[in-house]
Amino acid sequence: MAGDFEVDPDSPVGRALTAARRAVARGDVRRADAAYETVFELAGGGPLGESVAIDHVAALLTSGAVARAAKRCAEYAGSLGADHVGLSLLRAEISSAAGDQARAGDDVEAVRAALARGAVLDPEDHARLLRLDGLVAADRSELLLAERKLGEARDAFLVLDHEQGVAGVDGDLLTLAVRHGVESAVSDVVSGPAPRTTADYLLRALAFRRELRYEEACRTLLECLERTEVDPALRLPVLADLTALLWLTRRPELAERLRPMLLDAAEHAPDPVAARREVERLSPDGIVDPDRSPRFERRVEYARRLLVAGRLEEAEKLLVELRDLAHGDRDVASWHLTAGELEWGRFHESGDESSLREAVGHFTAAAGRAASTALTETRVLALRLLGRVLFKLEHEDRADACWVEAHGLEERIAARQDSDAVRVRMLLSAADEHDERVRAAHDAVTGRGPHAVAGVVVAVEQARGATILDGLLPGGAGFLRDLPRITDLDAAWRWVGDVTRDLPKSQVVWMLHATPHRVHHVLLGHGVLRHWSAPVAREHLVAAVKGLKSWWGKSVLDLGIRTGDFEQRLADIADLLDLAPLTGELPPHVHRVAVMVGGVLADVPFAALVLPGGQRQRLGDRFALSDLPCLSARRPLLHRARRRRGDRVLLVSPMRGRLAAAAAERPGHTLLDGEAATPAGLRAELARRRHHQVRVHGHGEHDREDPARSWLQLAPDGPDGWLRSDQLQGLDLSGCGTLVMGACESGMANRVGQDEPVGLVRAGLQAGAASVVAARWVADEAVATAVLDRFGEYARYLPRDVALQRAQGDVVRGEVVAHALVDDVPTPVPDQDHPARWACWTVYGDAGWQTAAGPLRRLLRRTFDNWRRRAANR
């Protein structure tokens, strides 16, 4: 036993030994190490030197200096012999403390062999050996054996009245319980005293991870690195756990930045070769044979990586070896999960559906065993994969149920994190059931060819919210979408043909959907059905759109124009979306595009995006764009629009005189302005149902916290004149074909539920309008007036989307010049042609005709309008 020897305290050896032990007591590891080295030299070998060597290594290990202990142990093995029982026992404890239970097991076997040859251990050393037996068994997932051995070790320490030994075993049992997710043990560690040692920090971080509190686990390990002097032998385990947590919190860039630190820690580990293999294992693409590790989880992980690499036979052989070694819910769930992935891989190789049925059994078993909080990660993956297999077997409802539950669990995990940034990042990378359907439909196109594109159309349509459909039919009766199954391609094709039957030949629908890792596009029209996708992380797309929106405020818009950052953000979004197929896939007669988007893509001003190529042509230059809430809404909105065609316009402005000129220019224009332009006055005027178009000129504001409280400013000035979103929805717009909201932020919306946009535009459509023209961001008032005046003129003989395109084009080309008052002097608005000035405006809903005029009258109006403009320019 270390320390069981006596020397004369007044002798040189005694004085040096006293100095060494005092240094240990003070926690001065360096002085203690140097002093023990002196003691060993003075002892001069023999039994005393042997005792000093054992005491030296044991003191370093007890002080937490694992790397120094390993170094001294190797040095003393040179003089005492590698087979020395005391050193072998210490070497095993050192390896165990460093987390290398495989090496510890080898040393335990060496000690057992020495005992068989007649070596003798004292009772304390025997208790230490039992403890090591338990730790090695625990690493092999032999839980019953581990608990029995650790119990025997504890009893042995109790008999010896060895409090430190008992406490050590209690700590081992607690660590074992936390590792396997025992909730009481996890709670004890989380709520227990603050960690002091590196091992304490590692245990607390593990407990936080078992509670799915990844961010707190990260903070715990960072605190360990900042506040403690981490022993070189333990630095790699700390960094390895931190790397895993960074991946779990969806911060791969930070995880990659840790790699140099991991490699450096590996070089200073007790076994650099094994440590370098551990670093390689941490790489997402690393395939490292854990031949030295007896840990079940490491070997199962290796099998999974073999599957990813397509090495199915090797993975199957390993899984057969591991089948009977799985003990406890964690190991059994992990084994079934990997076995299910093996069968999934077999199906992709052979196409044999029996492999799918085997996979269903394994994934179901994995999800069933992973029922505890600590195994939520495994359950999520098992449910997600089970859904994919069930979808392949055309059990779409059961697949949806799996995906819904998996995403719900991921939402619960995200909710347990502390910061909004991490929660949002985790949710963006988590696929919901709609993302999974789109992914599955995309995979079908890869496997079955273009015929399967109809399934993608249905999947993207399912991802769009449908509650806006309520009330679109005559009489206010809503309807439910009767969508075909994605896997029933014949029915999908019939549905696609039906919903596009009356689509104008000049127009296509462009459907976009962003999943966590791809953006999917579908072009749909007469003789056009094209699908492509671009690999892009959704969080990168969100960051790009968020960067663009950061310039939408009134106080920063001009700065964004001057610095070029607004334009750069548009370029970033265009690069991520991959717009190249738009330039070459559409026939020449197509010049109108109804864009159907949701999520983050709903905030993209598509008209401002520059198409690939050297001509710097914007999407809005080439195509007249509009926004469609979902494909199923197109025909009801069209039918509504046909009943609301006409040219009578109601102009509403709380500022007297602002729209007087426009009202005077055209017959059939009614002006409601000044003090009369109150919410009540507007309601009364609309109740007469005389107006086919309503244009509201005034300020507005989008309430990001409660979109139902977004408002348009009418008279009087202040809250009494606010027309809130919920009040707008209650107006009678049943006679209105087009609602034009000439207010900043009128087109902004929040997304709730199944990607439903909530805001002023939705309120206008639900109030009865067939189409709404609104702005996504703060619009310059002078430019807004120029655009909307021209839009009103063009809408007399052009479809709404083309009318807005022409109006915006006139502003860009300078055919109409917007003037703002600067010191009461009309001054041209700077950078009028910049997309920040005009691209905020969008046509939402039906993009077709507002006028009821026939082809001949429209031609005459166009001719007269062109003549009038030419005359004005002379």
Side-chain angles (χ1 to χ4, degrees), residues 23 102 104 149 161 228 348 395 404 466 471 517 560 591 640 643 655 667 748 755 760 765 784 799 810 823 834:
K149 288 292 185 180
D161 198 23
T228 65
H348 285 294
H395 299 306
V404 168
H517 306 294
H591 58 86
R640 175 185 285 186
R643 296 189 302 275
M655 295 162 284
M748 296 184 70
D755 199 26
L760 292 167
L765 292 173
D810 287 353
D823 297 329
H834 195 281

Side-chain angles (χ1 to χ4, degrees), residues 493-702:
W493 274 105
R494 288 194 296 272
W495 180 83
V496 169
D498 180 63
V499 296
T500 60
R501 186 176 60 251
D502 51 3
L503 190 70
K505 291 183 178 181
S506 62
Q507 187 180 45
V508 296
V509 177
W510 180 19
M511 309 170 76
L512 296 94
H513 181 84
T515 63
H517 306 294
R518 302 190 78 84
V519 174
H520 296 267
H521 304 252
V522 178
L523 287 174
L524 182 65
H526 284 283
V528 177
L529 186 55
R530 171 78 161 84
H531 165 253
W532 77 97
S533 67
V536 55
R538 185 158 55 192
E539 64 179 289
H540 295 164
L541 188 58
V542 167
V545 174
K546 186 176 180 180
L548 176 65
K549 292 175 68 176
S550 68
W551 296 108
W552 287 5
K554 186 175 183 179
S555 62
V556 296
L557 189 64
D558 286 344
L559 180 61
I561 295 173
R562 290 197 303 271
T563 61
D565 201 69
F566 193 101
E567 193 76 76
Q568 182 58 52
R569 300 295 184 175
L570 289 171
D572 293 341
I573 295 170
D575 289 342
L576 291 172
L577 291 181
D578 181 19
L579 302 178
L582 278 174
T583 62
E585 296 294 333
L586 292 177
H589 63 267
V590 173
H591 58 86
R592 302 170 61 202
V593 176
V595 184
M596 194 188 100
V597 294
V600 62
L601 294 172
D603 290 324
V604 175
F606 285 92
L609 300 183
V610 176
L611 290 167
Q615 298 181 357
R616 290 285 301 172
Q617 185 182 36
R618 297 190 189 275
L619 198 56
D621 296 334
R622 180 161 179 177
F623 302 107
L625 302 179
S626 60
D627 187 286
L628 188 64
C630 63
L631 200 54
S632 299
R634 192 193 66 81
R635 183 170 292 156
L637 286 170
L638 174 62
H639 292 165
R640 175 185 285 186
R642 285 172 174 169
R643 296 189 302 275
R644 291 155 173 73
R645 288 178 180 170
D647 299 313
R648 292 195 300 271
V649 181
L650 174 63
L651 301 174
V652 183
S653 174
M655 295 162 284
R656 186 174 297 278
R658 287 296 176 90
L659 297 180
E665 283 183 7
R666 301 287 182 187
H669 283 43
T670 302
L671 181 62
L672 185 69
D673 70 346
E675 296 177 357
T678 64
L682 176 61
R683 184 178 297 107
E685 189 66 37
L686 290 175
R688 299 168 63 188
R689 298 187 183 181
R690 297 179 58 252
H691 308 289
H692 305 112
Q693 302 174 61
V694 176
R695 176 177 168 185
V696 180
H697 182 88
H699 298 295
E701 184 169 308
H702 174 69

